[in-house]
Every structure is written in C-alpha cells, then in structure tokens.
Amino acid sequence: MSSRSIVLRPILGSLRPAAAVLAAVTVLAACGAAGSEVKTDAGGLTSVTVLRSTGSTFEPLFIAQDQNFFKEAGLNVTIKPGAADTSQNAPSVANGEAQFAMTDGSGFLKAAAQKLPVRIVTQLQASTTKTPPSDGLLVKADSPIKTFADVGGKTIGLPALGGTLQFICEYSAKEAGADPGTIKFVALPTTSLIDAVASGKVDAAYTFATFYDAGKAAGMRALGEGTNALPGLPQSLIFSSTEFLAKNPAVAEKFIGAVAKGIDYANSHPDAVRAVDTKYTKLPADYIAKRTIQIFSKEINTKAFSTVITSMVAFGLIKSAPAEDSLYWEKAPTTTTSS
C-alpha cells in the first residue's frame, strides 16, 4: 500500500506546518485508495464532492449546479464548505470524502514544492487589470509611506503569514525598488487590521473585499494595484489527487467542462454571482449589491505562475521550485497570456 500526502493553504490564508498534515494524510492513505473510487447514484449520475473555500470565488461552482451544467455532464456534484485552513482539506481528498478542493496559487505551490501527489485541474479566478483592485495595502492618510518603494523596514499587518498576500507585498516592494527582506510582517485578525493601522500598531496593512473598502472609506490611502500588480496571478484554483485523475480522467474532464460553463455564465450574468454571494457568504447586502464582480477565468497563466514560483523561492516562501510537470494535470486549461 502506498501512502499519499497532500497539503494546501486556504484562499488568501495561511498554511499550517506541513508535517502535521503529512502525518494525517499518510495515516488516511494507508486505509486504501478510497479517494479514487467513484459511485453512481440511482439516476445514473457519477457522484463527486468538491470542497469550496469558506470565503468566496466559488460562485461558478454553484452556478454550474443551479444551471444544471453538472447534471448535463452526467455528474451529481456535492459542494461543501472546506476547512477555513484549506490545508486541512487534504485528508478529505485523500480518504475519498472529496474528489476536488479549492486553494490559491501560493498554497498549491507549497504542496508542489514538497513533491506531493496533487495537480491543478482548473482555475476559477486570477488577478486582472480589467477590473479595479479588490485588495491592497492601506496606510493612514498622513503616512510617510507614499508608494511601495517606502515599505522597506516597515511593519505590515496581514491576515496570515506566508501566503498570497505576503507574496504580493514582497513582489510589489521589490518591483518598486525596496528590499522585501527588510519588511516585518505580523499576522492579525482580518477584522483588526484597519484598527491596527489607525492606532499605529503597524505601519500598513494588506486586506481585501469589505475590509479594504471600509479602510478606504475611513480615509486610508491604498498603495499599488493589489494582486493586479501581477496579472494572471492565480487567486483561486481547484485541485485533485494524481491517483483520482489517473483512474477517472473522464470524470475529471466532465467536471472541468461543467465548471467552465459555470465560469462563462458567471461572467455574463453578474446577478447570478450576487445571488450566490447572498446565499453562501456573510458579506453585507449593501456590499454585494454594489461591489465590482471580478472576472472569473478557467485558464491558468503558466507564465505568471512561473514568475510566482521564482519570486517565492527568492523570498524564502518555498525552499525550491517545483517541476512544471508537478503542477498541472495534463488536461487542465492553460495559457501564457494575461487577461
């Protein structure tokens, strides 16, 4: 019996120590290859489960379900909230409780760098210059920090350390000529980040969505372009285990195709996205009604991802660069062009 190990991080969140997850998944995998098994329901549909993020960017999944795209593909898909820390979704994928799960680009790279048997099957969303930033670095109105060139030696608050938000801070600082190695990052509750800036506990804070808008409304200045500073940066991905993909390629292809239809529908029907937000998120109704709907995209920009890999190694966020063939399933949609 072979043991399998998968570890992932939540959307824009933190990655817990890999060793604990590795141990948990190894124990589960020893029970057998349950994760590669698929069942057919009474109606002849293949049953699969996908673990979504607890934040957002999962809207195309529910749209694919509501518009019967999954059913038309012969699938009975159950969409369940995953762990707040998506690295804890790994055991669920390993023991067959779920066949697919969501994470973001940085989280996936941490798994791939450890040569874990997991592959990206599709993307849901990436950064793009076609819409305004929905995240960014905030400072007080009178802060001497005017651009990312001024963040060297400063203290920046983040919702979590080591993930996409820390990466984009370091990337933006380097691009502006600052030394990212001199920045002190501290993890604070998302709800406390704006107050931490206002009180002077931190010099700046990187936040997103309603918290980002609230900070600007309170008079804080936003620096840079958020994750849009690197167009094509994968913000939301769906992965599966290599064993499941090897044994069930047709099921995976059907799933990817149905999700792609959900993405297309979401991009042309913003009210459908807002309806999903209203039902499945805790975002304020006023924010849902007025927010800019970020563009969804299925194709992983491999060129942008290569930039992320190189930078994460340079910043010490991963120890070594994973091999390209350890990232994408062979039938995953990819591109080298940013949108």
Side-chain angles (χ1 to χ4, degrees):
M1 256 182 278
S2 63
S3 63
R4 299 183 298 149
S5 307
I6 303 172
V7 54
L8 288 162
R9 196 182 51 70
I11 308 300
L12 300 182
S14 64
L15 181 71
R16 294 187 179 180
V21 179
L22 278 168
V25 178
T26 299
V27 170
L28 286 166
C31 297
S36 64
E37 302 293 335
V38 292
K39 298 179 181 179
T40 302
D41 68 13
L45 302 178
T46 301
S47 298
V48 297
T49 296
V50 55
L51 299 179
R52 65 171 175 84
S53 72
T54 56
S56 60
T57 71
F58 50 68
E59 291 88 349
L61 296 177
F62 284 105
I63 288 173
Q65 188 175 64
D66 294 341
Q67 296 300 316
N68 290 323
F69 297 147
F70 287 132
K71 186 175 182 180
E72 291 170 359
L75 303 176
N76 177 11
V77 176
T78 299
I79 304 168
K80 297 171 59 177
D85 175 352
T86 54
S87 69
Q88 300 306 302
N89 290 337
S92 297
V93 172
N95 68 16
E97 292 176 25
Q99 287 69 49
F100 302 96
M102 289 175 61
T103 187
D104 69 356
S106 296
F108 187 85
L109 288 177
K110 285 177 178 288
Q114 297 177 64
K115 304 184 186 304
L116 303 179
V118 63
R119 298 290 185 273
I120 301 168
V121 297
T122 191
Q123 181 176 264
L124 290 177
Q125 196 169 77
S127 59
T128 175
T129 56
K130 292 183 178 180
T131 54
S134 60
D135 57 83
L137 189 70
L138 298 177
V139 298
K140 289 193 289 188
D142 60 353
S143 171
I145 302 174
K146 302 302 181 184
T147 71
F148 266 97
D150 304 319
V151 299
K154 304 301 183 183
T155 299
I156 296 178
L158 299 172
L161 301 179
T164 294
L165 299 190
Q166 181 172 335
F167 161 75
I168 202 65
C169 279
E170 297 196 50
Y171 176 84
S172 297
K174 183 179 179 181
E175 290 294 295
D179 180 359
T182 65
I183 302 171
K184 179 182 179 181
F185 293 101
V186 295
L188 297 170
T190 304
T191 53
S192 302
L193 287 169
I194 301 305
D195 288 342
V197 176
S199 68
K201 184 176 181 178
V202 296
D203 299 302
Y206 201 108
T207 189
F208 52 90
T210 52
F211 305 103
Y212 178 67
D213 290 345
K216 291 193 295 181
M220 293 189 178
R221 286 188 290 111
L223 305 184
E225 293 298 320
T227 50
N228 290 359
L230 179 55
L233 169 67
Q235 296 173 318
S236 182
L237 300 166
I238 297 179
F239 73 95
S240 187
S241 69
T242 54
E243 184 173 351
F244 178 83
L245 295 172
K247 293 185 176 181
N248 305 281
V251 174
E253 280 192 88
K254 291 176 181 179
F255 177 80
I256 293 171
V259 171
K261 289 183 178 181
I263 287 172
D264 290 341
Y265 193 95
N267 285 333
S268 59
H269 296 81
D271 286 344
V273 176
R274 298 184 199 282
V276 173
D277 286 345
T278 298
K279 187 173 182 179
Y280 295 103
T281 76
K282 296 180 180 179
L283 296 172
D286 184 61
Y287 176 78
I288 291 173
K290 297 179 180 179
R291 81 176 183 95
T292 299
I293 303 297
Q294 301 297 310
I295 297 172
F296 296 96
S297 55
K298 66 180 180 181
E299 294 181 325
I300 307 105
N301 186 321
T302 57
K303 184 177 180 180
F305 218 11
S306 292
T307 298
V308 175
I309 294 169
T310 302
S311 298
M312 286 186 71
V313 172
F315 301 152
L317 296 175
I318 55 176
K319 291 183 178 180
S320 61
E324 286 281 323
D325 61 5
S326 71
L327 302 178
Y328 318 107
W329 185 42
E330 60 187 22
K331 297 181 180 179
T334 60
T335 183
T336 57
T337 305
S338 297
S339 60

